[in-house]
Amino acid sequence: MTTGDEGHIKSTAKVPPIGLLPHAIRIGTIPIMADDSTKPGAIRRLRRSQLPLNALRAFEAAARHLSFKKAADELAVTPAAVSQQIRSLEDYLGIQLFRRTSRALILTERAQDSLEALHQGFDLIEDACSMLQSPVDDNILKVSVSPSFAAKWLIPRLERYYEEHADVVVKISASNELTDFSKEDTDLAIRYGPGHYPGLYVEELMREEVFPVCSPKLITGENAVKMPQDMALLTLIHDDSSLDDESNPTWPMWLKAAGVKVGDGQRALHFNQTALAIEAAIAGRGVALAKRTLAETDLKQGRLVRPFSESHPVDFAYYMVCPDQKKNLIKVTSFMDWLRYEACQSWAWEI
């Protein structure tokens, strides 16, 4: 090599004739480029153009099922085709992937070690294809939330989001069912629960606590609620939507902790939605055990009051949930940033 006038390195090596360049060879059904990495002991790093995707797909399916037949059913080919792809891949890599016995198909140790990375690789390819199929540049944000959270927390605040993001159209789908992102066209979900949502991006938004609430008119007058014992004369409003959370107190649990005994004839109203239980309390129908987050707006505006100061933290919380490939979309990140801010503001207010 020599150094040119401008300090650049110039190569004096001769370029071999075209006919002497590394040539493509074929092993089984998989083409490979011959180069120095084929020397004994060398580790060959494959170029993307060399990756035997069909054979890898066959191997991943066969390894997952530990069956050529089940892999063939999944890939809509014959077991013989899967077996041929596996043999070609073994020849290509120069290693054995399976130990075949009369009763079972067993992964070799090296095949087992590579399997998780291969699973993740195909998952990423699947995610990329989903992104290519979806209109990622549109201005429509599709959010799934529970009906009570939508009515009592999200909608009262949504105007503040539009003040800074007037170009985004927020479509709210109110449902208590968990969102299946693989089947539903949803960008983001806000869910109340334990926070275990495998295969998705999950971030805690807010914790929750529960306390009694009632209409202001129930704490004034001759029969005003002044102490827990007064509850024996009132209708107890039950929010049955919280029964899945064992840490969420029911009225019997709360009354027992407060030392209040009530008879079997205690009047009661039951609702399967928190928002309905809160509305019944606003209407003066009785006293409800309400979630702080969902009762906040009505407490601020004076439609509800807390007759007692006791509150009970619960294990469930609100979570932002979305597929990994969607969490970096601008419309999703801006909405999540806004949710974080509103959540901080919500809990900064003393109720």
Side-chain angles (χ1 to χ4, degrees):
M1 292 186 181
T2 61
T3 304
D5 295 337
E6 298 177 9
H8 298 300
I9 301 298
K10 294 183 178 179
S11 175
T12 57
K14 294 183 178 179
V15 178
I18 294 297
L20 298 180
L21 288 173
H23 57 283
I25 63 176
R26 184 173 294 272
I27 297 178
T29 61
I30 304 170
I32 316 172
M33 294 299 295
D35 55 27
D36 289 341
S37 65
T38 58
K39 293 179 180 179
I43 297 176
R44 181 177 59 211
R45 185 168 182 84
L46 303 179
R47 302 170 186 167
R48 292 189 182 186
S49 61
Q50 296 173 302
L51 292 175
L53 292 179
N54 285 338
L56 288 170
R57 192 158 61 109
F59 164 59
E60 191 272 342
R64 188 159 25 85
H65 294 294
L66 288 178
S67 166
F68 285 177
K69 183 180 185 307
K70 291 181 180 179
D73 291 340
E74 178 181 316
L75 300 175
V77 296
T78 64
V82 171
S83 179
Q84 182 182 4
Q85 289 284 1
I86 299 298
R87 284 197 303 271
S88 297
L89 186 60
E90 288 177 328
D91 290 341
Y92 179 34
L93 298 175
I95 63 169
Q96 186 178 5
L97 298 172
F98 293 99
R99 291 197 300 273
R100 299 162 178 82
T101 69
S102 58
R103 295 185 177 181
L105 196 62
I106 302 171
L107 281 169
T108 63
E109 184 176 350
R110 291 181 70 179
Q112 183 65 57
D113 290 343
S114 71
L115 196 55
E116 181 60 29
L118 193 59
H119 287 329
Q120 294 176 3
F122 278 112
D123 286 344
L124 289 173
I125 292 174
E126 188 177 277
D127 290 343
C129 290
S130 297
M131 290 179 66
L132 290 170
Q133 290 177 315
S134 62
V136 297
D137 294 328
D138 62 33
N139 66 336
I140 299 176
L141 177 69
K142 298 172 184 176
V143 182
S144 173
V145 296
S146 70
S148 292
F149 188 85
K152 289 298 183 181
W153 194 90
L154 183 58
I155 292 175
R157 292 166 170 79
L158 202 53
E159 185 61 31
R160 293 199 284 269
Y161 176 77
Y162 279 127
E163 289 174 0
E164 296 187 8
H165 303 89
D167 58 323
V168 178
V169 177
V170 180
K171 287 190 174 182
I172 297 175
S173 173
S175 171
N176 285 321
E177 298 298 322
L178 292 180
T179 303
D180 185 346
F181 288 96
S182 67
K183 297 179 180 178
E184 301 174 36
D185 186 16
T186 301
D187 297 307
L188 176 71
I190 304 170
R191 282 290 169 254
Y192 180 71
H196 306 307
Y197 308 107
L200 298 168
Y201 173 79
V202 180
E203 179 183 333
E204 183 180 297
L205 181 62
M206 289 181 286
R207 302 298 299 174
E208 188 59 283
E209 62 182 3
V210 174
F211 45 69
V213 297
C214 65
S215 166
K217 63 186 179 184
L218 293 187
I219 61 171
T220 60
E222 184 178 348
N223 297 318
V225 179
K226 295 181 179 178
M227 58 185 65
Q229 286 72 18
D230 297 331
M231 302 284 289
L233 302 175
L234 296 173
T235 298
L236 301 181
I237 301 172
H238 298 256
D239 174 12
D240 294 340
S241 70
S242 300
L243 296 180
D244 290 340
D245 181 6
E246 294 181 357
S247 71
N248 195 105
T250 61
W251 269 124
M253 294 166 59
W254 191 93
L255 293 170
K256 182 178 180 180
V260 179
K261 294 183 179 180
V262 296
D264 294 337
Q266 179 82 33
R267 289 174 296 176
L269 282 173
H270 288 259
F271 296 94
N272 67 348
Q273 296 282 345
T274 302
L276 298 178
I278 290 174
E279 288 300 321
I282 292 172
R285 298 300 92 199
V287 183
L289 276 176
K291 298 180 180 72
R292 178 196 193 280
T293 300
L294 304 186
E296 177 191 339
T297 299
D298 295 310
L299 287 164
K300 284 181 178 180
Q301 297 179 359
R303 291 190 292 268
L304 289 175
V305 294
R306 293 180 61 180
F308 317 112
S309 60
E310 293 86 353
S311 66
H312 186 91
V314 297
D315 293 340
F316 279 17
Y318 299 94
Y319 294 89
M320 297 184 289
V321 183
C322 69
D324 282 326
Q325 70 267 24
K326 287 195 173 185
K327 76 175 187 293
N328 293 321
L329 297 178
I330 294 175
K331 62 183 180 182
V332 174
T333 58
S334 67
F335 196 73
M336 291 173 68
D337 287 342
W338 174 77
L339 287 171
R340 294 185 193 102
Y341 174 79
E342 289 292 336
C344 289
Q345 294 295 106
S346 177
W347 276 82
W349 186 69
E350 293 292 333
I351 294 180

